[in-house]
Amino acid sequence: MTMSLCAHRGSPSVLPENTVGSFQRAVDEGADEIELDLRLSADGRLVVIHDATVDRTTDGTGAVAELTFEQLRALDAGGGAPIPSFEEVLDGVGARLQVEIKAPEAAGPLAALLRDRPDDLARISPCCFDADVVAELVRLFPDAPVGLIGSGGSAEALDRAVELGASRVLFGWAGTDRALVEQAQARGLEFSIWLVNTPEQLRDARALGVDGFTTDHTAAIAAELARTEEAAS
């Protein structure tokens, strides 16, 4: 079985997270899908950044939601790279995109943007930890693989995903076992696990039978995945 490799915020062990260069690098390293984080600027632009503030990942300070796009663009997100708009990612990165909604208010503008970009809509998987947001994403993106994210897996979380109309679950290691994965797949849910950052974790993910996984170390894990698949063939 071939598992899908998703690059967590790009290739953060090599280039600054959630930047176009980092996403492009992850694709070059073998990622099938790119995970990114979506928020709204004070003036309503979709921007790609994980935290609610810019403090950790840039040379600036302040809340993303209180800064205009122009102010955000003036910041250094690492190595001179700017905080990208979502449009820039769509234009500059050709892989599938796992779009984690960090700010619930970003869901509507995302749907509005993609109405005019059907080819990009076809490669988007909107996801969120928040069940209410997942329900909204299912409504806004009826044909997209909407995902419920959890820090761990449980039968209750699977039930919730099905109730919400999600088509994939993205769970952390806690509580996740092969029986849970099989139960999810039997109910029509794609199952991804995070994070897989070592050969041992890759081995464990394969043993679970998951459909895919997320990693911080795309090049190393892609090489290990190819090696193990060749050995198994």
Side-chain angles (χ1 to χ4, degrees):
M1 181 192 74
T2 299
M3 296 183 290
S4 176
L5 188 159
C6 179
H8 189 223
R9 307 180 200 170
S11 190
S13 61
V14 181
L15 292 172
E17 68 177 58
N18 276 322
T19 60
V20 172
S22 191
F23 298 146
Q24 292 171 335
R25 177 64 175 262
V27 173
D28 292 342
E29 292 173 340
D32 302 303
E33 183 179 46
I34 301 295
E35 188 270 350
L36 57 86
D37 304 287
L38 207 60
R39 295 186 178 275
L40 273 187
S41 67
D43 49 349
R45 290 290 298 275
L46 291 163
V47 290
V48 180
I49 184 170
H50 179 274
D51 298 1
T53 72
V54 300
D55 299 48
R56 178 180 65 86
T57 57
T58 79
D59 59 350
T61 60
V64 175
E66 295 176 359
L67 297 170
T68 66
F69 182 65
E70 184 178 357
Q71 289 172 317
L72 291 168
R73 288 291 284 183
L75 302 177
D76 185 346
I83 295 172
S85 69
F86 187 58
E87 295 96 319
E88 287 176 298
V89 175
L90 291 175
D91 292 337
V93 181
R96 298 199 308 268
L97 300 174
Q98 181 191 128
V99 182
E100 182 177 345
I101 305 300
K102 285 295 187 182
E105 60 271 18
L110 175 64
L113 172 67
L114 291 174
R115 285 190 199 107
D116 297 325
R117 304 182 66 139
D119 290 342
D120 289 323
L121 177 60
R123 62 189 178 105
I124 296 297
S125 175
C127 304
C128 193
F129 278 88
D130 187 310
D132 290 337
V133 176
V134 170
E136 178 68 359
L137 293 172
V138 169
R139 185 186 71 80
L140 291 170
F141 300 94
D143 299 320
V146 174
L148 175 65
I149 310 174
S151 57
S154 69
E156 293 75 17
L158 290 187
D159 289 342
R160 189 67 175 129
V162 172
E163 291 169 2
L164 294 168
S167 54
R168 68 189 303 200
V169 290
L170 308 102
F171 291 160
W173 289 94
T176 296
D177 57 20
R178 187 173 180 87
L180 186 72
V181 174
E182 291 176 346
Q183 181 185 354
Q185 292 166 338
R187 300 176 76 176
L189 294 169
E190 177 187 332
F191 199 115
S192 293
I193 195 163
W194 54 278
L195 290 162
V196 171
N197 283 337
T198 67
E200 293 76 19
Q201 288 173 328
L202 181 62
R203 178 200 63 210
D204 293 343
R206 184 184 295 281
L208 288 172
V210 298
D211 299 291
F213 61 87
T214 304
T215 183
D216 290 318
H217 305 295
T218 305
I221 296 300
E224 180 67 13
L225 181 62
R227 186 191 68 79
T228 56
E229 288 181 345
E230 182 179 352
S233 64

